[in-house]
Every structure is written in structure tokens, then in C-alpha cells.
């Protein structure tokens, strides 16, 4: 809903005009990352929006570390309101000394006002060759609400 010329603006409308940033860092490792997608420990934001159709922009950096040499690759995902967002961060390190980060960005609309969980998740395609390092894995979300 736009603000019209001459309209008296309420405190609630002003509150919703500002972008609000949130961030969280993982709390412990996921070692090894399982084939079935799993939550990254501690990488959960529970964000409450004041109005329907709030827009979010999320960025995550996943820190992956090879446990043993292999052909495994790891993926990091974002789950919003219990549904995986489209797109994933992907990483592969075939040598046991390999360590690296993979980043991804997502955006979307939160259809309803209220609480919305944003959870980082990870999985590998096969084996148990890669771990996720929680202390180096971060999620940042910015919420943009409309008046």
C-alpha cells in the first residue's frame, strides 16, 4: 500500500519502512555431513514480520572441510517456513587438506505476517567425506516491509 501525498503517516508505517537486518553463525560442526539433508546446528533465525508480503534477502556462507579424499560434493541450502528456497551453494574438495567456503543468495516474499523460521541445511551427494564447520558458517537476512 503506497503512502499518498498529504496522508498522515502512523508510527507503525514508519517502523515497517526501515530494512531490518538479522544474522546468525552456526554453533557446532556437522561432522560428517549426511546424505539426507540436515539442519546446520545453531544456524536458525526466527524472524517476526509485522505485515503480510514482507520481502527478504538472505545470504549464507557455508564452510566445508574435507575429512577424507573422495569425489563427494556438499550442498548448503536455506529453508524458509519449512520449504527449501530455490538454489544451493555447492562445494567439492577432493584432497584431505581442502577447506573452503561456498556462498548463495536468496530472496522472496513472506506471504503472511508473523513468525518465519530461516534455517540453514546441508547434505552431501554420497559418502561421509565432508564436514561443515559451524563457527565459519553464517546466515544474514534483511527484511523489507511495506507500509
Amino acid at each position: 500500500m503506497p503512502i499518498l501525498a498529504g496522508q498522515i503517516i502512523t508510527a507503525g508505517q514508519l517502523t515497517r519502512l526501515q530494512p531490518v537486518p538479522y544474522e546468525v553463525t552456526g554453533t557446532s560442526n556437522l561432522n560428517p555431513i549426511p546424505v539426507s539433508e540436515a539442519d546446520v546446528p545453531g544456524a536458525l533465525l526466527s524472524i517476526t514480520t509485522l505485515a503480510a508480503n514482507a520481502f527478504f534477502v538472505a545470504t549464507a556462507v557455508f564452510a566445508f572441510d574435507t575429512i577424507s579424499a573422495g569425489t563427494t560434493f556438499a550442498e548448503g541450502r536455506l529453508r524458509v517456513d519449512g520449504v527449501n528456497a530455490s538454489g544451493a551453494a555447492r562445494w567439492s574438495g577432493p584432497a584431505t587438506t581442502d577447506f573452503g567456503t561456498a556462498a548463495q543468495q536468496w530472496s522472496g516474499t513472506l506471504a503472511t505476517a508473523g513468525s518465519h523460521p530461516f534455517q540453514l541445511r546441508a547434505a552431501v551427494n554420497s559418502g561421509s567425506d565432508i564436514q561443515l564447520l559451524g563457527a565459519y558458517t553464517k546466515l544474514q537476512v534483511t527484511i523489507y516491509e511495506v507500509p
Side-chain angles (χ1 to χ4, degrees):
M1 169 185 238
I3 296 173
L4 304 173
Q7 177 181 344
I8 296 174
I9 300 172
T10 68
Q13 288 171 314
L14 288 175
T15 297
R16 292 189 302 269
L17 279 176
Q18 64 182 347
V20 181
Y22 301 86
E23 70 176 49
V24 66
T25 300
T27 55
S28 60
N29 296 350
L30 194 54
N31 182 8
I33 299 171
V35 174
S36 297
E37 197 173 280
D39 291 346
V40 173
L44 169 67
L45 288 171
S46 185
I47 297 173
T48 301
T49 58
L50 302 174
N53 298 315
F55 185 75
F56 73 87
V57 176
T59 302
V61 176
F62 298 86
F64 296 112
D65 184 28
T66 302
I67 298 169
S68 59
T71 58
T72 302
F73 66 82
E75 289 190 342
R77 296 190 174 274
L78 174 67
R79 181 168 283 187
V80 180
D81 289 336
V83 178
N84 281 354
S86 179
R90 188 169 174 178
W91 183 86
S92 178
T96 56
T97 57
D98 285 349
F99 163 85
T101 57
Q104 183 59 273
Q105 293 182 311
W106 300 270
S107 62
T109 301
L110 302 169
T112 61
S115 181
H116 303 278
F118 287 74
Q119 174 71 58
L120 291 184
R121 298 177 55 84
V124 293
N125 66 318
S126 66
S128 56
D129 301 335
I130 301 174
Q131 67 177 328
L132 180 134
L133 304 176
Y136 304 103
T137 298
K138 180 178 262 191
L139 170 62
Q140 294 180 316
V141 178
T142 301
I143 301 293
Y144 300 88
E145 297 205 46
V146 292

